[in-house]
Amino acid sequence: AQSVTQLDSHVSVSEGTPVLLRCNYSSSYSPSLFWYVQHPNKGLQLLLKYTSAATLVKGINGFEAEFKKSETSFHLTKPSAHMSDAAEYFCVVIRVTGVNQFYFGTGTSLTVIP
Amino acid sequence: DSGVTQTPKHLITATGQRVTLRCSPRSGDLSVYWYQQSLDQGLQFLIQYYNGEERAKGNILERFSAQQFPDLHSELNLSSLELGDSALYFCASSVTIQRGTDTQYFGPGTRLTVL
């Protein structure tokens, strides 16, 4: 079975400090993994995706994520938080068995303190 | 702009009523997905269509139904509305059902308020 667990429902960082949003997945085979961001009252926007190429994936707005198979993790990081990063972040795993099914984590709310 | 459009942006209606939400996928995308997002339930997958056929069902109530038309646009019908149906409804689309490289692109959502 496929699933994702976002380990923190809320993360608070100061502007200019690093961001770490944690995601663990379970999958029967090599997964495809995504991070989406949702700003208040907006739709979800793709930040980055991993599809079994390079394990370090770079996304938009300075975010990146590293796929670690041994730890079944796909944590999202950014070296320096900006006020505009305040949003909800979703980790997603895809199940590929003829019909793609996307499994969403419960989300992590990121607050950036000025 | 993801290329996925949803109408209307806002909808206010009364309990017991029926509404229809519309979604147009990105050009070339064959799959359409519907999600409900509320404060207490979070983001919930409702249903998935591929090229006109229902392919996966999530937490969709029996009062809700959807379809995907030959031109690939989709409609989500919500009937006998209750206060608890107030939520943001998102549509997403993706190209193919066959490969793990598939990516969902989300529309801006329809905010439904049931009074």
Side-chain angles (χ1 to χ4, degrees), chain B:
Chain B
D1 183 3
S2 67
V4 179
T5 61
Q6 290 187 248
T7 56
K9 284 191 81 169
H10 302 277
L11 199 48
I12 301 175
T13 188
T15 55
Q17 295 298 305
R18 182 179 189 275
V19 297
T20 297
L21 312 184
R22 183 188 168 103
C23 168
S24 292
R26 293 190 324 148
S27 176
D29 284 1
L30 299 177
S31 281
V32 169
Y33 312 76
W34 285 98
Y35 293 86
Q36 179 193 58
Q37 187 178 42
S38 61
L39 281 174
D40 54 342
Q41 299 279 345
L43 189 68
Q44 301 276 326
F45 167 67
L46 294 179
I47 197 163
Q48 174 189 3
Y49 279 83
Y50 172 74
N51 206 19
E53 292 185 11
E54 180 186 308
R55 286 305 182 111
K57 250 183 178 176
N59 300 323
I60 189 166
L61 300 171
E62 284 193 13
R63 300 184 285 110
F64 296 0
S65 64
Q67 55 184 325
Q68 186 181 27
F69 294 86
D71 67 352
L72 301 177
H73 91 272
S74 179
E75 293 181 356
L76 179 67
N77 301 296
L78 315 176
S79 61
S80 303
L81 285 168
E82 302 175 359
L83 295 177
D85 297 327
S86 296
L88 262 172
Y89 291 84
F90 288 107
C91 167
S93 73
S94 70
V95 173
T96 175
I97 64 170
Q98 295 174 340
R99 292 291 302 163
T101 55
D102 201 8
T103 300
Q104 281 191 348
Y105 294 91
F106 281 78
T110 293
R111 181 172 292 282
L112 173 67
T113 303
V114 182
L115 300 174

Side-chain angles (χ1 to χ4, degrees), chain A residues 32-34 36 38 41-46 49-51 88 90 92 94 96-102 104-106, chain B residues 2 33 35 37 42-43 45 48 55-56 88 90 94 96-109 111:
Chain A
S32 289
L33 294 154
F34 306 78
Y36 284 85
Q38 184 183 24
N41 297 310
K42 300 285 187 184
L44 279 75
Q45 180 185 16
L46 180 68
K49 65 180 181 181
Y50 165 77
T51 55
E88 188 87 12
F90 293 93
V92 183
I94 186 173
V96 182
T97 52
V99 178
N100 285 350
Q101 292 185 14
F102 293 79
F104 280 73
T106 51
Chain B
S2 67
Y33 312 76
Y35 293 86
Q37 187 178 42
L43 189 68
F45 167 67
Q48 174 189 3
R55 286 305 182 111
L88 262 172
F90 288 107
S94 70
T96 175
I97 64 170
Q98 295 174 340
R99 292 291 302 163
T101 55
D102 201 8
T103 300
Q104 281 191 348
Y105 294 91
F106 281 78
R111 181 172 292 282

Side-chain angles (χ1 to χ4, degrees), chain A residues 4 6-8 14 31 35 39 41-42 45 53 55 57-58 65 67 81 85 89-90 97 101 111-112:
Chain A
V4 287
Q6 291 185 242
L7 298 165
D8 308 291
S14 296
W35 276 99
H39 289 92
N41 297 310
K42 300 285 187 184
Q45 180 185 16
T55 56
V57 182
K58 293 189 183 300
F67 173 73
D85 295 328
Y89 292 79
F90 293 93
T97 52
Q101 292 185 14
T111 299
V112 181

Side-chain angles (χ1 to χ4, degrees), chain A residues 39-109:
Chain A
H39 289 92
N41 297 310
K42 300 285 187 184
L44 279 75
Q45 180 185 16
L46 180 68
L47 265 183
L48 50 82
K49 65 180 181 181
Y50 165 77
T51 55
S52 73
T55 56
L56 184 62
V57 182
K58 293 189 183 300
I60 62 172
N61 302 334
F63 283 93
E64 60 183 39
E66 186 171 8
F67 173 73
K68 291 187 176 180
K69 188 174 181 179
S70 60
E71 298 176 10
T72 61
S73 69
F74 189 58
H75 301 335
L76 182 70
T77 61
K78 183 173 180 177
S80 176
H82 191 271
M83 294 300 295
S84 60
D85 295 328
E88 188 87 12
Y89 292 79
F90 293 93
C91 182
V92 183
V93 67
I94 186 173
R95 174 186 178 188
V96 182
T97 52
V99 178
N100 285 350
Q101 292 185 14
F102 293 79
Y103 294 86
F104 280 73
T106 51
T108 298
S109 177

